[in-house]
Amino acid sequence: MAQVEIRNLSKSYNAVQVIHGVDLHAGDGEFVVFVGPSGCGKSTLLRMIAGLETITAGEILIDGRSVNDVPAKDRDIAMVFQNYALYPHMSVADNMGFSLRLKGVARAERMRRVQAAADILGLTPYLDRHPRQLSGGQRQRVAMGRAIVREPKVFLFDEPLSNLDAKLRVQMRSEIKSLHQRLGSTIVYVTHDQVEAMTMADKIVVLNSGRVEQIGAPLDLYDRPANLFVAGFIGSPSMNFIQGNIEGGAFRAADGTALPLPALPAPAQGPAVYGIRPEHFSLSSTGIPLTVEVVEPTGSETLVLGRLAGQRATLLFHERIQAKTGTVMRVEPLCHAAHVFKADGMQERISA
C-alpha cells in the first residue's frame, strides 16, 4: 500500500492550461475516484500520476517520495486502461506474466504470481486460452490480472468499464470493489459515470474544466454539494433547479410560487437557485401543482417529468403513480432535503 499526494499540480499544452492547481491526498488503501464530464482533465491527471504525461508545475509524491522526475516504469504503479491492450497471440497466462518476464523475474515466481491473480479473478480455467476466446468481461479481468501480478504500490484505472454493456458494468464494478477489499491496495480510478463513482469510491474528486469542484465521501457530496455543478452532476436522475429569489426569508420561483426553505444563514436575500432531488417530493392535496408531461414507470419506481413553478422538473416516486400527460398533481418538496445556491458566478451552496 502507499499514499499518493498531489500538490498544486498544473498542466499546460503551450498556452492552454488544462489542469489548474490540483491538491489531493489519497491515503493508504484508499479507493479514490476522479469523476467529471468528458474533457474535464481526469484522465490527464491520472496519466500525470502514472508518469505518462509531463508536469508543468506542482509535485506528485508516492509514499512521501517525489516522483516528478521518476520514469513511469520506476514509480511502482500499475495501470489498467480503457482498451484491454492484450497481445492476441499470447495465452491469458502469458499476457498476465509478460511484464514480469520483461523484468527478468524467474519463471517459477512468474507462474506463482499469475496463478495467485487468476485465483482472485476467477481466471484459472482460462489461463491457456487466447484473448479472442474470451468475453469482454473476461478480457478486462485479464487486464486487471496483468496489473495485480506486478504487486504495485498503487493501481490506476482509466475508465476500465466503458467498453462493457450495462449489465456487465454493474457486475465488474462490484468485482473491482471486492478486489480492492481483498488486496487492501491504494486505487485511483477515473470514470465519467457518477453512479460508478458513488458505488465504488471511498473518496470522490469532482473535476470540472481542470479544476477540483469538491472532494469528499460519496454520500457527503450527495447530501451537501458545494455548488451547482456538483449538485447537478452527482445523483441520477439529476437534481432539479428552480430559479427565483429569496425575499423576507422565503423563496419564490420566477412565477411567484413559494417553496419551503431549509435553514439559511442570515441574512440571505436576492437571486438564488432552489435545488431539490427527484426523490425528495411527497404527494399532498395541498401541495404545489405539477403539470405532468411524461410518466416513466420502471417497475420499482415511477419517474414523472413535468412543470413545477413554471419550470421543468423530474420527480421520482417509489410507488406506482397513476398519472397521465396533461393532468395536474399536487406535490410537496421535503423542506429538510432542499438546497439553496447563489445565483452569481460562484454558484455556491448557501443553505446549511
Side-chain angles (χ1 to χ4, degrees):
M1 294 190 293
Q3 299 184 60
V4 178
E5 189 174 358
I6 297 172
R7 297 176 180 172
N8 197 29
L9 200 66
S10 298
K11 173 68 177 178
S12 298
Y13 295 104
N14 298 319
V16 180
Q17 189 168 355
V18 295
I19 301 293
H20 303 264
V22 171
D23 291 294
L24 173 68
H25 179 265
D28 276 340
E30 198 167 30
F31 197 130
V32 177
V33 176
F34 296 164
V35 69
S38 297
C40 72
K42 52 190 184 293
S43 289
T44 300
L45 189 56
L46 191 78
R47 290 172 63 84
M48 291 166 76
I49 297 171
L52 303 177
E53 288 279 357
T54 57
I55 296 168
T56 303
E59 190 174 24
I60 297 174
L61 298 96
I62 297 178
D63 258 359
R65 179 177 71 114
S66 176
V67 295
N68 284 28
D69 300 317
V70 176
K73 64 183 179 64
D74 297 325
R75 293 193 180 191
D76 203 5
I77 56 94
M79 192 160 179
V80 179
F81 296 93
Q82 180 176 348
N83 57 335
Y84 316 127
L86 303 178
Y87 296 107
H89 62 289
M90 290 185 181
S91 68
V92 167
D94 288 342
N95 264 286
M96 290 171 64
F98 186 68
S99 63
L100 301 180
R101 180 179 170 188
L102 289 180
K103 291 174 67 176
V105 176
R107 175 177 171 78
E109 175 62 12
R110 289 203 313 268
M111 294 313 298
R112 183 194 69 78
R113 292 197 200 179
V114 167
Q115 187 61 60
D119 290 343
I120 290 170
L121 295 167
L123 288 173
T124 299
Y126 311 105
L127 288 175
D128 294 328
R129 295 191 187 182
H130 287 75
R132 66 179 179 275
Q133 299 171 297
L134 304 177
S135 67
Q138 290 166 342
R139 292 178 194 177
Q140 189 56 269
R141 288 194 192 95
V142 176
M144 290 162 56
R146 184 174 51 193
I148 291 170
V149 298
R150 296 177 59 186
E151 298 179 352
K153 288 184 176 179
V154 181
F155 288 91
L156 306 179
F157 288 81
D158 190 6
E159 303 208 42
L161 308 185
S162 59
N163 289 334
L164 306 179
D165 62 54
K167 183 177 180 180
L168 194 52
R169 276 203 306 272
V170 173
Q171 177 186 339
M172 284 301 299
R173 76 188 186 209
S174 65
E175 290 187 12
I176 292 174
K177 185 68 175 177
S178 176
L179 174 67
H180 171 248
Q181 292 167 348
R182 292 183 64 176
L183 297 180
S185 39
T186 304
I187 292 179
V188 183
Y189 186 105
V190 162
T191 181
H192 65 276
D193 185 337
Q194 52 86 26
V195 174
E196 210 170 282
M198 289 287 292
T199 55
M200 298 174 74
D202 297 319
K203 179 189 292 179
I204 294 178
V205 181
V206 182
L207 292 161
N208 181 29
S209 300
R211 291 181 172 85
V212 173
E213 296 285 352
Q214 189 173 357
I215 299 174
L219 292 180
D220 288 342
L221 268 61
Y222 189 85
D223 292 335
R224 296 183 58 81
N227 54 42
L228 275 175
F229 179 83
V230 177
F233 194 84
I234 298 295
S236 181
S238 297
M239 184 182 289
N240 297 297
F241 297 124
I242 299 173
Q243 305 290 329
N245 286 275
I246 300 174
E247 303 168 358
F251 182 91
R252 291 197 176 275
D255 70 348
T257 302
L259 298 174
L261 278 177
L264 296 179
Q269 297 288 330
V273 179
Y274 188 95
I276 184 79
R277 295 201 181 277
E279 66 271 25
H280 292 153
F281 288 88
S282 61
L283 296 173
S284 171
S285 59
T286 59
I288 301 165
L290 169 79
T291 303
V292 176
E293 294 180 345
V294 178
V295 179
E296 298 181 347
T298 64
S300 60
E301 300 170 338
T302 304
L303 282 175
V304 179
L305 290 73
R307 299 194 73 82
L308 180 79
Q311 300 174 47
R312 295 295 300 272
T314 300
L315 283 67
L316 185 150
F317 298 97
H318 295 288
E319 61 263 40
R320 297 185 179 183
I321 302 297
Q322 301 300 319
K324 296 181 179 179
T325 301
T327 59
V328 175
M329 301 170 53
R330 288 194 170 270
V331 296
E332 190 70 38
L334 302 182
C335 179
H336 70 275
H339 308 262
V340 183
F341 302 91
K342 293 179 181 178
D344 60 14
M346 298 298 291
Q347 299 182 333
E348 294 174 338
R349 174 193 176 95
I350 57 176
S351 48

